Structure formats: structure tokens, C-alpha cells
Amino acid sequence: MTCEPVTVYNVKVTVTMSSLFPNIKDTWGAILLFSCFLQAGLVFGSLRSFGIFFPEFREYFGSAAGSVSWVTSCAVAVQQLMSPLGCALALRFGSRPVVIFGGFLSFLGMFLASFSTELYQLYLSIGGVSGLGWALIFSPSMATVTCYFSRRRSLATGFVLTGVGIFSFALTPLLQYLVEEYSWRGAILLLSGMALHSVPCGALLPPSSEAAPDPSRSFLWGWELLWNWTFLRYCLAVTLINAGYFVPFAHLVAHMQMKGVGDRQAAFLMALVGVADVAGRLFAGWLSDLSPKRTLHLLSLWTGLSAVTLGLLPLAVKDVEMGAAAIAFGFCAGALTPGVFSALPWVVGAEKVLPALGLLQMLESVGGLLGPPISGWLCDLTGDFSLSFLITGSFLLLGALIILTLPGICCKTRTAQSETRTRRNSGTINHVPPAKHNGTLASGCSECGGEQPLDLGYRTETEVPSSHPWPPMEERAGHSELQGDQSSQDDCTSEERCLQEARAARMPLSVGKLLEDHSSSPVTVLQLSSNGVV
């Protein structure tokens, strides 16, 4: 919501409600976190608790472990494969109606699954209908969180994803109790009622005016990322991670039961894995926000540690050893999850997060589809899950190594700061980049924002009144106020360079943005006005 523009020095300045009442934005942020926290828990907390049904399905349908594993695999694969559809619909209609419809589909699929008499009916109901509903819930919600929070993005993502661990901790023993009391049919029927709570959670998302859906963007917007080699390598790494990530959650209960652990003890250990998962997500989000540029490094580290702990599971014999290995895996697996999403802006840029998230989920669905069935097939071949955990652990390790090949991790890339110094040493004036259609300036000055977009709150060229002409790019590059003695430019502070760039482009700034960006610096609104920026 915006107020009428105010004219300052013959330039219209748009004042937003968020700048006048900052608590409104804070309130929406808290509501958004709470809503997405519940949605993440209802989606992946349910998926990760389906291991409770694995022995029940094998006994009731009389099927092999590999065949039963396709129930979870189909659900994960459809959820990830249809994520681009969820993101495209969110771009067109906004996240709120898409998530509400997805919540209804997730309920409908599990409701129909409770009446299944053949295994393929579980594939269609849980894997097809509920999987599609989860795709419409998860990707738009996570993209909304990633785009909404610019500061503490990893911590916000980590908090939302703690819902997965908390729901896993609560649902695993609860579903075990429901299976014992009402059989697997009654347990899934009650679980479908829980899934219906995604509908009011979707209604809590910010309205369309805040989420800013763009009808002009087609469903194919962002698909050019499929020709981005860096993005494809990242997708390959995440696909391998996905192939090993879900295997313990699908088969760890069955593995512990084969080792002589009781049903309730195995369910309790899985609940402890959920607690460790929560701790790992929060710790990793906090650690990543301490050094945001190290997000990809930390993702590779946590993935490698997950591979090691997964490989240690077959070596554990006693209950205490299995519990310790399972808890260690839960912590490391929980820690890597926030990094997968918070690293996307570093891989593709903040503007392409929504389509990149959809494409990433679509491509990594191959890993989610094949991982558990491969594990189940190896169990049918060898008689236990020891080889399964070793093979799937190698997938995680290979994914960690591929992440290390991304630009800027093991090799230094040419940054904006080094390019600026090169231009200055050659006697070239650092020009101001042209305005983008979305009102952001890709700053060439690292102190003014580095390689990330610098949001100056200005409007596009067509919105500037005729009394305040917008100079062409060539004139901005050679603006008289940016010319002069080279030594004086070298001595100028980062704040003065920001002023020079904004003054050269004649970009009106939002009052709220000025107060936010310069509240802790000696630059004030009056100084900016007197220097000709506002």
C-alpha cells in the first residue's frame, strides 16, 4: 500500500506504508514465518514419518521392500517435480491461493489412501494427489520467505525448516500409537485431517499486494537457468544429496527393528533424530548468517558430515550406538537443509530465486525418486540395510565434492571491487549502471552493496517528471560531478561514492529507505537533499 507521492525539489518521492509504520512489516514477517513453519512441518514432517508405515505396508500388501519404497519415493518425486508449476502459479496469482489449493489436495490424497486395497492405489493417492498438493505448498512458501527477508535470510529459512524436525519428533511416536490403536488405515485418515490445516496456514501468507505477483511474467520465465552451467552443477549436487537424504527416514525404523530394537524404541529414536534435526537447522542458520559469503562452504561441510554419519549407521550394533549415530545424522542432515535454499541467491541472484527454486526442486526429484527404491532393492538383495546406507552415503559425499567446484569456493572469482580498482588504475571513470525495470541498481561499488543488488528505492525512467530529465547512459558515465582529479576520487569515502552515483543518475530515493539505510551513518536526508539526490 502506498500513499500519494510527495514532491521534494521537483522530484516525486513515493512514501510506502512500510516506511511510515515499520511495525506493519515486522508483523507480516512474524506471521509469514509462523505460517511457513507449520507448512514445512505438515509437508516434510509427514513425509519423514512415513517410515512408521513401511513394515505395515509390507505385511498387509505382501510386497517386497523395493516395491513399498515407491510410496515415499513417488510422493517426494512428485512434490519436487511439480515445484515449477507451483512457482509459476504463485508468480501469476500470488502464493496465498496456490498454497490454499495445495493444502486441500494434500488432505484429499491421504484421505483416499486410507481406503486403498492395492499398493498402486497408494502410489496414486499419496504419491500423485498429495505429492502435487505438497508441491503447491512448499516451493511458493519457501520462495516467499527467501525473497521477503534480505537480512538474516539463513536464520529465517532455518527457523521455518525447524518445523520439519519438530513435526517429525511429534508425529513419529504419535503415528506409532495410532497404528497400534486404529491400524494403518485409521492413522492415515487422522493424518489427512492434520494435512487440512495447510489451508488456514496458506491464508496467513501476505496478500498479493505485498507478495507482488507479476501477471506479465509467463510460465516459462526463468527457464533460461537450464543453460546456466553453475546452476546446473548446483542442481546435480543437490540431486545427489536428495538421493541419500531421505533413505534413513524411510528405512531407519525397519533397520533398527532388524537389529532387534523394539517398535516403540525405534519410534523414540526417530523422534530424537527429529530433535537433533531442529538443533542442526537453527545452529546452521545462525552460523551461516555470521558469514553469509560462506553459505556454500558450510553446505558442503554439513553434507560431507552427513555422509560420514550415514556410513557409520551399519557399524552400530548396540542400541546406544545406533541412537548416537542416528542423532548425529539428524543434526548434520538438518544443518545442510537451510543452506540448500539460502545459497540460491548466491548461485542465481535474488531476482531469480522463485524460478530457480522450482527448477531445482524439479531436477532434484530424480534423486528423491530413486534413492529409497535403490536402498530397498539392496535390502532385498543382501537381507539388511547395511549396504544401502553405505551406497546412499556415497551419494551425499559426491554431492559435497561437486559443491566445492562452484565459482568462488576453491578458486577466487573477479569481484566488483577488483574490477573497480582496475578501471581506476587505467584512468577510467566508474560509471553508474543503467536502471533496471524493477527499481534496483546493480552497484559497481563494493562498499555500496558489493555484487548484490543495491535497492535505492528509486523509480524507473518513465516515472520521473519532465522537469527532472533523465540523462542517457553516456552522459551518466561522463557526468561532470563524477569527473575531476583522480586522487580526489581515490580519497573519497564509500558514502560519498554512493551519493555521487545516485546524483549522477538523478534517482529519487524513498524517504523510508533513506532513513533505513543511513540511520547509523553521518549522511542524513538533509545532506542528501542539499547534494541534489532528493
Side-chain angles (χ1 to χ4, degrees):
M1 180 178 180
T2 59
C3 300
E4 291 296 326
V6 180
T7 303
V8 181
Y9 284 87
N10 295 326
V11 177
K12 290 184 179 179
V13 179
T14 302
V15 181
T16 63
M17 290 297 294
S18 299
S19 63
L20 294 178
F21 304 100
N23 290 334
I24 292 180
K25 186 174 181 179
D26 295 342
T27 302
W28 272 121
I31 294 175
L32 174 63
L33 287 177
F34 176 71
S35 171
C36 295
F37 168 86
L38 294 178
Q39 292 168 31
L42 290 170
V43 172
F44 281 102
S46 301
L47 272 173
R48 287 171 44 165
S49 301
F50 264 91
I52 294 296
F53 299 111
F54 185 83
E56 303 295 327
F57 291 159
R58 288 189 67 181
E59 180 180 355
Y60 182 85
F61 295 106
S63 301
S67 300
V68 175
S69 299
W70 282 102
V71 176
T72 304
S73 295
C74 288
V76 173
V78 172
Q79 182 270 319
Q80 296 174 337
L81 184 64
M82 301 306 293
S83 289
L85 175 63
C87 293
L89 291 174
L91 282 171
R92 182 64 179 85
F93 303 105
S95 296
R96 178 185 284 181
V98 175
V99 172
I100 290 175
F101 182 65
F104 174 75
L105 288 180
S106 65
F107 149 76
L108 180 62
M110 282 190 281
F111 177 79
L112 296 175
S114 64
F115 299 98
S116 298
T117 56
E118 298 291 340
L119 191 59
Y120 76 88
Q121 295 173 349
L122 291 179
Y123 299 159
L124 295 176
S125 56
I126 294 178
V129 181
S130 291
L132 177 59
W134 290 329
L136 300 182
I137 293 173
F138 186 71
S139 293
S141 301
M142 290 305 304
T144 302
V145 172
T146 305
C147 296
Y148 192 91
F149 293 93
S150 56
R151 296 178 62 250
R152 304 186 183 275
R153 178 183 290 129
S154 296
L155 186 59
T157 305
F159 172 78
V160 167
L161 293 176
T162 56
V164 179
I166 292 176
F167 272 70
S168 299
F169 170 73
L171 285 179
T172 303
L174 176 61
L175 290 178
Q176 182 65 46
Y177 169 77
L178 293 176
V179 167
E180 294 174 358
E181 292 293 325
Y182 305 107
S183 78
W184 65 267
R185 293 184 185 276
I188 291 183
L189 183 62
L190 293 172
L191 188 60
S192 68
M194 298 180 194
L196 194 59
H197 287 76
S198 296
V199 173
C201 288
L204 291 176
L205 291 179
S208 298
S209 58
E210 291 288 335
D214 190 353
S216 64
R217 287 172 175 170
S218 68
F219 278 22
L220 298 179
W221 179 69
W223 283 75
E224 66 273 9
L225 290 171
L226 293 176
W227 284 264
N228 186 321
W229 176 231
T230 300
F231 176 69
L232 289 179
R233 268 186 293 168
Y234 184 72
C235 290
L236 175 61
V238 177
T239 300
L240 290 169
I241 294 171
N242 208 36
Y245 179 85
F246 286 101
V247 168
F249 298 106
H251 296 151
L252 187 55
V253 171
H255 170 74
M256 289 188 286
Q257 290 175 349
M258 288 182 178
K259 297 294 184 180
V261 180
D263 295 349
R264 294 203 172 186
Q265 288 84 353
F268 177 72
L269 284 177
M270 284 300 297
L272 292 181
V273 171
V275 175
D277 181 277
V278 172
R281 291 169 193 262
L282 290 176
F283 177 77
W286 169 79
L287 184 62
S288 179
D289 278 330
L290 291 181
S291 181
K293 294 183 179 179
R294 301 289 181 183
T295 302
L296 287 169
H297 299 76
L298 293 173
L299 175 59
S300 178
L301 172 65
W302 293 121
T303 304
L305 291 177
S306 299
V308 172
T309 53
L310 183 56
L312 292 176
L313 278 173
L315 303 179
V317 179
K318 299 180 181 179
D319 295 357
V320 176
E321 295 174 351
M322 283 189 285
I327 291 173
F329 173 80
F331 183 88
C332 297
L336 74 87
T337 309
V340 172
F341 300 101
S342 59
L344 270 179
W346 297 98
V347 177
V348 299
E351 188 183 33
K352 292 293 182 68
V353 166
L354 187 57
L357 180 57
L359 292 174
L360 173 64
Q361 294 259 289
M362 182 188 71
L363 295 175
E364 70 171 330
S365 64
V366 177
L369 179 66
L370 298 179
I374 290 174
S375 175
W377 177 75
L378 291 173
C379 174
D380 293 333
L381 188 66
T382 61
D384 60 24
F385 289 98
S386 298
L387 183 61
S388 301
F389 290 157
L390 291 175
I391 296 297
T392 52
S394 66
F395 294 158
L396 288 165
L397 184 59
L398 184 57
L401 295 177
I402 293 177
I403 292 175
L404 293 178
T405 67
L406 296 177
I409 296 185
C410 292
C411 59
K412 296 294 183 181
T413 57
R414 191 175 174 85
T415 63
Q417 184 176 6
S418 62
E419 292 175 357
T420 302
R421 289 192 184 128
T422 302
R423 285 194 298 267
R424 286 179 180 171
N425 293 335
S426 62
T428 319
I429 303 300
N430 183 25
H431 70 272
V432 179
K436 292 185 178 180
H437 70 278
N438 61 347
T440 58
L441 175 68
S443 174
C445 170
S446 61
E447 294 88 351
C448 303
E451 298 177 339
Q452 296 298 313
L454 176 63
D455 186 1
L456 294 177
Y458 64 88
R459 292 171 284 104
T460 57
E461 217 171 311
T462 58
E463 296 172 324
V464 179
S466 58
S467 60
H468 213 78
W470 191 283
M473 186 63 225
E474 296 78 8
E475 294 183 21
R476 295 182 216 171
H479 196 273
S480 59
E481 298 205 33
L482 283 180
Q483 295 176 345
D485 186 16
Q486 183 69 35
S487 62
S488 64
Q489 289 185 1
D490 292 337
D491 294 335
C492 112
T493 65
S494 63
E495 291 167 355
E496 291 171 342
R497 277 195 291 273
C498 290
L499 289 175
Q500 290 173 347
E501 292 181 1
R503 189 190 311 122
R506 306 280 178 88
M507 298 168 185
L509 306 180
S510 164
V511 173
K513 187 65 179 175
L514 289 173
L515 294 175
E516 178 184 349
D517 290 348
H518 300 287
S519 58
S520 59
S521 68
V523 182
T524 65
V525 177
L526 290 178
Q527 286 176 302
L528 291 167
S529 300
S530 63
N531 285 324
V533 178
V534 179

